[in-house]
Amino acid sequence: MGRTFDDEAPQTRVVEATSLTDLRLHKCKLVVIGEDGTQTEYVFEQTVIRIGAMDENDIVLEGDTVSRRHCEILLDGEKYLLRDLDSTNGTFVNRVRVREAYLVPGSAIRVGAIEMRFQTLEERIQFEPSQRDSCGHIVGSSLRMREIFGVIERIAPTNTTVVLEGETGTGKEVAARSIHLLSERSKMPFVVVDCGAVPEHLIESELFGHERGSFTGALASRQGLFELANGGTIFLDEIGELRLELQPKLLRVLEQREIRRVGGNRPIRVDVRVIAATNRDLQKECKEGRFREDLFYRLSVVRLKQPALKERREDIPLLTKHFLRTAKFNRTPEDRMRVRGVAREALDGLMNYDWPGNIRELLNVIERACSLSDSDTIQLHDLPEHISGVGIVRRRVEPDAETRKVEPILDRSFKVAKDEWVAQFEKEYLSSLIERNGGNITRAAKEAEVDRKHLRRLLKKYNLHDSGESKS
């Protein structure tokens, strides 16, 4: 039986927390039939099942006809693929020797002289909104967040691979930590890899380790982050930044559950749950040739979309209260809360702002307000001017005057006035910022303490991008 393919690519399950949904978790059962007719059942939910005579296999078979690493079964999208590993006596499906073959329920498998039967099992999980306003380290009482909590609560105990999507600052790492915290791996390592921050020439060594002498400066063998995460969870942040030439090696880890160090030939088994995060559209990246489609489908067993803060404004009071209660910047030397609340006007200002930097920006604003507040309550004037509107004015050109007269905006609704103030502030601030830094966006972003990509978007919004587009 040869390998066959469907015309359509396997579909992943996308959970956007916009409505109740369900998910099928794939499991399979293998029944090993002994010479005396006894049957031993094995049930797996993992994506790779190894079969052979060595103790490191998932199913260990005894007998002279079984090779040490005889064959393996992979979950390939929605189907299970049996692959022979160059065994001596071959692997058979329904009495036909195969190198690779897709299995169907009831398939008869022969490994050497040992007979097995294959069955699929599916567990259908329905997601319902959680009744709680927190999940692990995440807080939120909005329907969208409670639906996300419902998803996390159900998938966390499994070994399901997850891709977290969303804008910068929406809390993807916090969500990944929460999944790990609620899993059976919670007492094992949680290792974070920022795929966009590690230098290109070091990323392979960082992920997979290296052997002594494998490159200049490799004075000793070193474990990679996959080895350090063994038994736990590895969080691959900004997975969309991973170089194309490294993506097949990551795919091999997901399929084979083993790595090879740089300069090494020995495969090293790893038991790691993979959670990835990105602010890119990976499907679009695949179409444009910047991300491997097979890796995308292997990662995206569940894709969980984190909403922007402006899409869950009702959570701002709860998030603010959470930051005041838990953040170190709001603790006295006696470990008491220094600022205990937020005035109504200040809270209105927070609720009406669009938060392009999302939760990360909110946290920074609360930290700044705590440092400026001279009481135990954050007031409107403690917030940045582009949020509070305090002290910001609009320049209006009088018809018969060569000079511009500065007048406060008093003839608009609060929201309209605030939007005009914010637009005026952003344009003037960005123009001055990019001019001070000679058009260098990287340097300007560092001075303004904002994400470089976000700064580019703001410059483009106000038609200022020509001044800095060519310089990084």
Side-chain angles (χ1 to χ4, degrees):
M1 182 183 294
R3 183 175 182 177
T4 60
F5 296 87
D6 288 340
D7 292 332
E8 296 182 0
Q11 299 296 307
T12 57
R13 275 69 66 190
V14 184
V15 182
E16 299 219 7
T18 55
S19 60
L20 295 182
T21 184
D22 58 18
L23 169 71
R24 289 178 298 164
L25 290 183
H26 293 279
K27 296 183 180 181
C28 71
K29 179 171 71 173
L30 290 164
V31 180
V32 179
I33 305 171
E35 293 181 358
D36 57 357
T38 58
Q39 298 184 1
T40 305
E41 294 186 357
Y42 299 85
V43 176
F44 298 98
E45 67 174 42
Q46 63 208 56
T47 56
V48 182
I49 306 162
R50 292 183 177 83
I51 302 170
M54 293 180 65
D55 290 340
E56 66 178 28
N57 289 290
D58 300 298
I59 297 180
V60 180
L61 302 176
E62 297 180 354
D64 296 337
T65 61
V66 180
S67 298
R68 298 171 66 190
R69 298 177 67 217
H70 197 105
C71 63
E72 62 187 7
I73 298 174
L74 314 174
L75 178 59
D76 186 19
E78 299 283 337
K79 299 180 179 180
Y80 284 93
L81 174 69
L82 176 68
R83 178 184 294 166
D84 183 77
L85 299 177
D86 296 323
S87 64
T88 302
N89 294 301
T91 303
F92 297 78
V93 176
N94 297 331
R95 300 184 180 181
V96 178
R97 185 167 182 167
V98 299
R99 289 187 60 82
E100 290 185 336
Y102 282 112
L103 300 173
V104 297
S107 293
I109 303 171
R110 192 170 86 239
V111 177
I114 297 178
E115 299 288 339
M116 307 174 67
R117 282 202 310 272
F118 171 83
Q119 293 291 339
T120 57
L121 304 171
E122 284 191 350
E123 180 182 357
R124 201 170 195 89
I125 295 179
Q126 183 172 10
F127 300 114
E128 297 181 358
S130 173
Q131 298 303 308
R132 299 185 294 179
D133 60 7
S134 66
C135 179
H137 299 299
I138 322 171
V139 297
S141 58
S142 63
L143 176 60
R144 294 197 71 182
M145 291 310 298
R146 290 189 294 106
E147 287 181 336
I148 287 176
F149 296 166
V151 175
I152 291 176
E153 288 167 0
R154 297 304 301 270
I155 66 172
T158 72
N159 286 317
T160 303
T161 304
V162 181
V163 171
L164 300 169
E165 301 174 321
E167 297 177 8
T168 298
T170 51
K172 296 186 288 293
E173 182 175 337
V174 176
R177 289 185 181 275
S178 299
I179 293 171
H180 174 73
L181 180 66
L182 298 174
S183 74
E184 296 178 355
R185 300 172 179 265
S186 59
K187 295 182 180 178
M188 302 303 288
F190 179 84
V191 176
V192 179
V193 185
D194 188 340
C195 298
V198 181
E200 288 189 0
H201 65 286
L202 293 178
I203 184 68
E204 184 175 1
S205 171
E206 191 77 6
L207 288 174
F208 308 126
H210 61 255
E211 299 292 356
R212 179 181 177 182
S214 56
F215 55 85
T216 303
L219 303 179
S221 296
R222 179 177 177 272
Q223 286 185 315
L225 294 175
F226 269 93
E227 285 184 77
L228 294 175
N230 193 41
T233 302
I234 190 165
F235 175 55
L236 302 176
D237 198 9
E238 301 298 346
I239 187 68
E241 306 288 338
L242 192 66
R243 298 201 325 267
L244 265 174
E245 56 266 34
L246 278 179
Q247 292 178 21
K249 296 182 179 181
L250 177 58
L251 180 63
R252 177 180 175 82
V253 176
L254 295 172
E255 288 186 337
Q256 308 291 335
R257 298 295 168 176
E258 64 184 27
I259 57 99
R260 281 188 172 87
R261 293 178 181 173
V262 176
N265 295 317
R266 180 175 63 91
I268 300 172
R269 299 256 342 242
V270 289
D271 173 23
V272 177
R273 182 183 195 166
V274 176
I275 301 176
T278 181
N279 58 11
R280 296 189 179 190
D281 182 341
L282 288 185
Q283 285 183 306
K284 182 179 178 182
E285 295 290 301
C286 290
K287 291 178 181 177
E288 296 178 358
R290 291 189 293 267
F291 201 83
R292 289 179 61 106
E293 191 174 39
D294 48 3
L295 176 58
F296 170 73
Y297 286 119
R298 185 66 68 188
L299 284 169
S300 304
V301 179
V302 172
R303 293 165 58 200
L304 188 60
K305 182 70 176 291
Q306 297 287 103
L309 185 54
K310 65 183 179 182
E311 298 170 355
R312 46 177 292 217
R313 295 177 192 270
E314 59 267 47
D315 288 334
I316 290 175
L318 186 63
L319 286 165
T320 302
K321 182 179 179 181
H322 173 74
F323 293 149
L324 292 177
R325 186 177 64 250
T326 62
K328 292 183 180 179
F329 59 72
N330 193 37
R331 311 302 295 190
T332 67
E334 296 79 25
D335 199 31
R336 297 176 181 173
M337 288 175 60
R338 198 172 62 81
V339 176
R340 295 183 172 275
V342 183
R344 181 73 254 177
E345 280 188 329
L347 188 58
D348 287 343
L350 296 175
M351 294 283 287
N352 285 308
Y353 182 57
D354 278 344
W355 300 105
N358 293 296
I359 298 173
R360 184 178 296 138
E361 184 182 5
L362 175 63
L363 176 61
N364 291 339
V365 167
I366 298 302
E367 180 176 3
R368 175 188 184 276
C370 287
S371 66
L372 294 176
S373 178
D374 53 9
S375 69
D376 65 352
T377 302
I378 294 174
Q379 303 294 332
L380 186 63
H381 61 261
D382 295 324
L383 301 177
E385 290 183 343
H386 64 282
I387 296 177
S388 68
V390 176
I392 299 182
V393 295
R394 176 181 61 162
R395 292 177 177 174
R396 180 179 295 167
V397 180
E398 296 295 329
D400 299 323
E402 293 183 1
T403 59
R404 292 191 297 181
K405 181 180 178 182
V406 178
E407 295 180 359
I409 298 178
L410 300 175
D411 57 348
R412 301 284 192 276
S413 69
F414 175 84
K415 185 178 186 308
V416 172
K418 180 183 72 66
D419 289 344
E420 290 186 19
W421 283 335
V422 170
Q424 175 76 12
F425 164 81
E426 286 184 344
K427 187 171 183 178
E428 294 188 4
Y429 178 90
L430 294 169
S431 180
S432 175
L433 175 71
I434 205 70
E435 182 178 352
R436 286 197 308 275
N437 289 278
N440 188 304
I441 294 179
T442 299
R443 195 161 61 231
K446 185 175 182 181
E447 179 185 324
E449 298 182 352
V450 298
D451 181 77
R452 184 171 177 269
K453 294 179 180 178
H454 177 54
L455 179 59
R456 278 188 180 275
R457 288 196 293 269
L458 286 175
L459 292 171
K460 188 173 183 179
K461 175 182 177 182
Y462 295 107
N463 294 320
L464 300 172
H465 57 291
D466 288 340
S467 61
E469 192 71 31
S470 61
K471 298 183 181 182
S472 59

